[in-house]
Amino acid sequence: MALVNRTEPFDFVIFGATGDLTRRKLMPAFLRRFHAREFDQEARIICTARSELTTEQFRNLCSATLHEFAPDIAKDTETLNQFLGLLTYVYLDATQEGPHWQELGATLSDAERTRVFYFATAPALYSAICAGLSHHNLITQHTRVVLEKPIGTDLQSANEINEGVGRYFSEDAIYRIDHYLGKEGVQNILALRFANPALEQLWSSQAIAHVQITAAETVGVGDRGSYYDKSGALRDMVQNHLLQVLCMVAMDAPASLRADDLRNEKLKVLNALRPMTPDMVRKNVIRGQYTAGHIKGEDVPGYVDDLKTGRPSDTETFVAIRTKIRTARWGDTPFYLRTGKRLATKTTEIVIQFRPQVWPIFTNMPSPGRLVIRIAPHEELSLVLAARDPGAGGFRVRNATLHMSYENEFAVQYQDSYERLLLDAVRGDPALFIRRDEVEASWKWVEPILDSWRYALTPLEPYPAGSWGPATTRALLARDGALWHEDMLT
């Protein structure tokens, strides 16, 4: 049975409360934690947006949303109604002065309570919201602010956002959220490495030939087209999610699990990534865009048709990158990052490929062993090792897999990543949030790739929906004598 981590009463204010993120993620996450009794009816969730709704109308909308996105809990009418009773709605245009700021302030009368402001809005509004909070004296010594990604579209815009928010909040009160760090499978990388000394002894270029980090989706852009076409896979997934996962895989052991000790080690990894010069981008980056194809036996349209704009687009829906980390631990080990939409299978996984035996004594040695850390759609560990084939006679060997499913092993329902992170922000635990210097370091590494693309140094390659991306992706690994994980399985 999971332990309940009780939270003291708090006020949680969501800007952008009628948006998709609030509907799909924030409200279901709060309902589940309320059902788990991690907070009670003394908490208050104040929701603001530019839609002119009453609190009752907003609660009705939330009820329908929760029946859709958290149906297992929402069917408990008593729990649902108690939760809805925590919600207050305030109509507010954060870019405008007016009486609605005073109305928001009236809901926050207790300055001694923990107060969290969550920005589920366009990042361009972050500074204006902070200015409004300051002007109306809504920031107390117990206040924190949570910033959703993207933190900018490049280094300059990221710095402008950080400076704008930083005028009103100290760095220790700013929580930049990356929901990948809230995933159980990502957090378990720390336990897997640093609670198992034998495994950590192997965790370097001496034993590891290469590392693959893949975040593959079968869906297209859906209703995110207007945002995605300005962002693309590199900004949407690599600059934040995949680089954070890479840091967890590649970092050295922190002095402790305290926030700054963890983030210091991640920052070292980001700063040690081999710089992406134009020549490096040409040789080590592949970008693609999905065309019409087939997924699970169904015809699906291409990216341009999904956008419904009637015009072509040069936005990438797939990116694969080969890089190295300039440290003694990882010197000669390539890291491959890959993400894309409309790919063959939905999966988020890390593949640790071990080096082959230097002087094999078995004549039919299979491919070297590997460790697969699967983060989604299920948290799993698979260790592939060579074992004697009992039916072959003599000393023939073949690969065998040791497999563990977290769901089966621990028999608990894992929290969604937002469930963990929302209450971490309330409790004042920043360990799984991003520090400003991490944001800047990741943009510094990504920006040369974007610059090279502006000069068309990397072609935009088509790939059919339902495939694993452009055909040239295999060549990215082939020059290292490596295969993508799905090719190892065929």
Side-chain angles (χ1 to χ4, degrees):
M1 182 176 179
L3 296 175
V4 175
N5 189 1
R6 295 283 294 179
T7 303
E8 294 298 316
F10 59 87
D11 291 344
F12 199 102
V13 182
I14 302 173
F15 287 88
T18 57
D20 193 60
L21 176 67
T22 304
R23 292 176 57 250
R24 291 175 175 270
K25 294 295 184 181
L26 306 187
M27 285 301 168
F30 270 129
L31 176 63
R32 293 187 185 282
R33 291 302 92 205
F34 178 72
H35 180 258
R37 300 184 179 181
E38 290 202 15
F39 62 93
D40 58 27
Q41 289 169 284
E42 292 187 47
R44 292 182 295 185
I45 302 174
I46 299 99
C47 302
T48 79
R50 291 183 288 187
S51 300
E52 296 191 34
L53 301 170
T54 66
T55 291
E56 191 61 31
Q57 289 172 326
F58 182 77
R59 288 175 179 175
N60 289 337
L61 289 174
C62 281
S63 178
T65 291
L66 292 168
H67 278 289
E68 180 179 0
F69 295 109
D72 53 332
I73 309 298
K75 68 183 179 182
D76 181 344
T77 304
E78 182 179 359
T79 296
L80 176 62
N81 288 336
Q82 288 176 350
F83 175 74
L84 293 174
L86 308 183
L87 306 183
T88 301
Y89 184 83
V90 177
Y91 162 69
L92 177 66
D93 184 341
T95 64
Q96 302 293 324
E97 186 55 62
H100 303 295
W101 281 103
Q102 285 78 20
E103 185 179 347
L104 175 61
T107 68
L108 300 167
S109 56
D110 188 351
E112 296 303 313
R113 283 165 69 105
T114 295
R115 186 178 294 182
V116 178
F117 294 109
Y118 194 108
F119 295 174
T121 68
L125 298 178
Y126 291 176
S127 296
I129 297 173
C130 290
L133 295 173
S134 176
H135 180 71
H136 293 279
N137 299 314
L138 301 181
I139 301 173
T140 72
Q141 61 178 336
H142 305 293
T143 299
R144 304 178 190 105
V145 61
V146 182
L147 309 183
E148 261 291 343
K149 82 169 184 76
I151 308 296
T153 57
D154 54 22
L155 180 59
Q156 179 180 340
S157 57
N159 284 338
E160 289 171 356
I161 291 171
N162 284 324
E163 290 290 339
V165 176
R167 280 195 289 269
Y168 305 99
F169 291 90
S170 62
E171 178 62 25
D172 61 3
I174 301 173
Y175 287 57
R176 299 171 188 84
I177 193 168
D178 184 326
H179 72 268
Y180 262 54
L181 293 182
K183 292 178 179 291
E184 189 68 34
V186 173
Q187 295 172 50
N188 194 59
I189 296 170
L190 295 178
L192 184 68
R193 291 186 55 194
F194 302 125
N196 294 286
L199 190 57
E200 176 63 7
Q201 290 295 316
L202 301 175
W203 214 263
S204 73
S205 61
Q206 291 186 344
I208 295 174
H210 73 258
V211 177
Q212 301 176 23
I213 301 174
T214 296
E217 300 178 274
T218 55
V219 298
V221 293
D223 56 8
R224 298 177 70 226
S226 59
Y227 156 75
Y228 194 90
D229 201 46
K230 298 174 184 176
S231 172
L234 186 66
R235 289 185 175 98
D236 188 50
M237 291 293 295
V238 176
Q239 182 272 332
N240 39 72
H241 302 326
L242 293 196
L243 284 183
Q244 284 295 317
V245 174
L246 180 146
C247 288
M248 298 287 270
V249 172
M251 64 190 282
D252 287 334
S256 75
L257 294 178
R258 290 192 298 268
D260 276 342
D261 287 336
L262 283 168
R263 297 190 288 190
N264 288 343
E265 294 302 329
K266 287 194 294 172
L267 181 64
K268 291 177 185 178
V269 174
L270 292 170
N271 287 332
L273 287 170
R274 186 167 58 180
M276 280 293 183
T277 64
D279 186 56
M280 289 288 294
V281 173
R282 280 193 295 267
K283 294 178 179 178
N284 295 283
V285 180
I286 294 171
R287 62 194 292 250
Q289 185 184 96
Y290 67 83
T291 59
H294 308 276
I295 294 180
K296 297 180 180 178
E298 295 185 4
D299 294 338
V300 295
Y303 175 70
V304 173
D305 290 330
D306 272 346
L307 286 180
K308 300 181 177 64
T309 62
R311 59 180 182 271
S313 170
D314 62 355
T315 298
E316 80 286 353
T317 62
F318 175 96
V319 62
I321 302 173
R322 176 185 182 272
T323 188
K324 289 187 177 181
I325 300 171
R326 300 171 300 171
T327 64
R329 178 189 288 265
W330 294 113
D332 197 39
T333 297
F335 282 70
Y336 304 100
L337 308 178
R338 175 177 61 163
T339 185
K341 291 189 174 295
R342 293 291 194 206
L343 297 181
T345 301
K346 176 179 173 60
T347 186
T348 301
E349 66 179 23
I350 304 156
V351 178
I352 310 295
Q353 178 64 59
F354 297 113
R355 294 192 183 278
Q357 176 63 261
V358 176
W359 189 261
I361 62 173
F362 296 95
T363 57
N364 69 316
M365 280 295 292
S367 60
R370 61 186 177 273
L371 173 67
V372 181
I373 305 167
R374 186 157 292 115
I375 298 167
H378 303 288
E379 291 90 354
E380 299 171 331
L381 283 178
S382 297
L383 180 60
V384 178
L385 298 172
R388 180 181 176 278
D389 187 344
F395 283 100
R396 294 184 62 82
V397 294
R398 63 179 176 86
N399 280 338
T401 302
L402 303 177
H403 179 80
M404 186 195 77
S405 162
Y406 286 87
E407 183 179 357
N408 294 336
E409 181 71 20
F410 296 103
V412 296
Q413 182 175 1
Y414 287 113
Q415 297 181 28
D416 173 82
S417 55
Y418 277 96
E419 294 178 49
R420 167 71 186 268
L421 295 173
L422 289 178
L423 290 189
D424 276 357
V426 171
R427 295 172 185 133
D429 183 356
L432 298 177
F433 293 82
I434 313 302
R435 203 168 58 192
R436 176 175 178 170
D437 50 9
E438 293 180 74
V439 175
E440 293 173 351
S442 61
W443 274 122
K444 285 177 182 176
W445 186 75
V446 163
E447 209 164 48
I449 303 175
L450 294 170
D451 291 341
S452 294
W453 289 357
R454 291 189 189 99
Y455 294 102
L457 297 182
T458 305
L460 183 66
E461 302 179 43
Y463 64 94
S467 69
W468 278 102
T472 54
T473 306
R474 286 189 172 93
L476 193 66
L477 277 72
R479 69 175 189 256
D480 296 318
L483 296 170
W484 288 110
H485 188 211
E486 64 273 8
D487 292 330
M488 299 179 197
L489 303 177
T490 58

